[in-house]
């Protein structure tokens, strides 16, 4: 069986949601403009570091969605997103703080780690390069809000960066955050992951996989007002048995309905 950070994090957040997505075959509809734009922007970044026309790459990738029925945030539009993206690419070139040598080999790296008994853990690393002449494992983020920088050391607790450090063995990690706002900006956030954190994450992975393979998929409600984790979960309709909500948010993978044996495990 092959596992990833996304699977582990979803299981730890809510085992029942993990089952809905990875075993029952329910997945969120691909309609959020911000999510799709983020993927298009990453392809533009790849073009930039390969010394190609990054703005043209962004227009090409995002242009495929110009007339698509996407869900835009307040004040967003296709045109506004592309203009913000081009502005951010110009800022990246002006800052000139990142170097990625042999870009085709050091962008979107696939790392595989063997786990007992016969499992694998896979990660896709956005980049390995230099920020201000220091080697880092780099993760790109696009967002509408700045990431917090205080208190000092906060970034070292980011579980995804810990995961990537564990997978790669690289302790110096960074988030490069492309902030889409009225005046776009780029944050270069860096931290170090300790060997103890790497070791603990490996133990967390093995523990979570053990529970998954034992068929432990109990629901974990995120409802606790005023913070409502369940309200942002795409699988909420399944928990509420609300068919209109299911139809509006989810589609099901073909052939995923023959999983009645899972109910026997839960019982």
């Amino acid at each position: 069986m092959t596992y990833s950070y996304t699977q582990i994090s979803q299981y730890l957040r809510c085992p029942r949601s993990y089952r809905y997505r990875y075993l029952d075959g329910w997945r969120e509809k691909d309609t959020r403009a911000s999510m799709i734009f983020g993927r298009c922007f990453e392809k533009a970044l790849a073009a930039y570091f390969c010394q190609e026309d990054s703005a043209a790459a962004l227009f090409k990738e995002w242009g495929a969605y110009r007339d698509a029925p996407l869900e835009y945030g307040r004040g967003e539009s296709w045109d506004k997103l592309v203009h913000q993206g081009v502005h951010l690419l110009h800022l990246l070139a002006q800052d000139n703080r990142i170097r990625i040598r042999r870009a085709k080999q050091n962008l979107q790296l696939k790392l595989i780690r063997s786990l007992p008994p016969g499992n694998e853990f896979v990660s896709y690393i956005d980049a390995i390069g230099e920020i201000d002449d220091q080697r880092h494992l780099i993760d790109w983020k696009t967002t509408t809000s700045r990431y917090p920088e205080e208190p000092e050391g906060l970034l070292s607790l980011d579980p995804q960066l810990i995961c990537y450090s564990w997978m790669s063995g690289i302790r110096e990690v960074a988030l490069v955050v492309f902030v889409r706002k009225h005046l776009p900006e780029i944050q270069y956030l860096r931290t170090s992951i300790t060997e103890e954190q790497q070791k603990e994450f490996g133990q967390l992975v093995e523990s979570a996989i053990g529970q998954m393979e034992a068929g432990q998929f109990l629901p974990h409600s995120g409802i606790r007002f005023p913070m409502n984790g369940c309200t942002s979960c795409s699988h909420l309709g399944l928990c509420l048995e609300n068919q209109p909500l299911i139809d509006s948010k989810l589609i099901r993978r073909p052939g995923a309905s023959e999983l009645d044996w899972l109910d026997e495990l839960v019982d």
Side-chain angles (χ1 to χ4, degrees), residues 197-212:
Q197 285 177 293
Q198 294 174 344
K199 179 181 177 181
E200 288 175 347
F201 189 84
Q203 293 171 341
L204 179 66
V205 167
E206 291 189 18
S207 174
I209 289 176
Q211 294 175 61
M212 295 177 198

Side-chain angles (χ1 to χ4, degrees), residues 52-247:
E52 301 170 0
D53 190 331
S54 57
L58 181 61
F59 273 104
K60 176 184 177 182
E61 297 294 335
W62 185 230
Y65 298 94
R66 180 185 286 273
D67 299 317
L70 301 180
E71 299 174 8
Y72 287 91
R74 185 176 180 181
E76 289 185 339
S77 67
W78 187 94
D79 290 294
K80 187 170 183 178
L81 287 178
V82 76
H83 286 305
Q84 289 175 335
V86 170
H87 192 164
L88 287 165
L89 290 170
H90 286 322
L91 284 178
L92 181 67
Q94 290 173 6
D95 291 346
N96 196 29
R97 295 179 60 181
I98 302 177
R99 294 278 188 279
I100 298 180
R101 307 179 191 279
R102 299 186 300 276
K104 292 187 182 297
Q105 289 78 36
N106 287 315
L107 289 168
Q108 284 298 305
L109 295 88
K110 181 180 181 180
L111 304 181
I112 299 176
R113 188 183 187 109
S114 296
L115 299 173
N119 292 318
E120 289 184 337
F121 196 95
V122 62
S123 290
Y124 290 89
I125 308 299
D126 284 343
I128 294 177
E130 298 172 2
I131 299 179
D132 300 333
D133 299 322
Q134 185 177 4
R135 184 172 183 260
H136 285 80
L137 181 152
I138 304 172
D139 193 40
W140 317 122
K141 298 293 183 184
T142 57
T143 177
T144 57
S145 303
R146 298 183 87 255
Y147 274 41
E149 299 182 46
E150 298 293 340
E152 184 178 352
L154 181 65
L155 187 63
S156 66
L157 303 181
D158 185 297
Q160 189 170 24
L161 291 180
I162 296 172
C163 171
Y164 291 165
S165 178
W166 170 68
M167 286 292 291
S168 66
I170 299 173
R171 292 183 54 190
E172 301 303 317
V173 299
L175 284 183
V176 178
V177 185
F178 296 90
V179 188
R180 298 188 296 102
K181 57 181 186 177
H182 180 65
L183 291 176
E185 66 171 307
I186 304 174
Q187 293 178 277
Y188 302 86
L189 308 178
R190 297 177 284 180
T191 193
S192 296
I193 305 300
T194 67
E195 292 182 5
E196 183 66 20
Q197 285 177 293
Q198 294 174 344
K199 179 181 177 181
E200 288 175 347
F201 189 84
Q203 293 171 341
L204 179 66
V205 167
E206 291 189 18
S207 174
I209 289 176
Q211 294 175 61
M212 295 177 198
E213 294 184 343
Q216 297 179 24
F217 302 113
L218 297 173
H220 180 188
S221 175
I223 294 295
R224 184 176 175 84
F225 295 96
M227 302 301 292
N228 305 329
C230 288
T231 59
S232 61
C233 178
S234 59
H235 299 120
L236 179 60
L238 294 169
C239 292
L240 297 178
E241 299 183 0
N242 183 324
Q243 193 61 47
L245 187 56
I246 293 172
D247 294 339

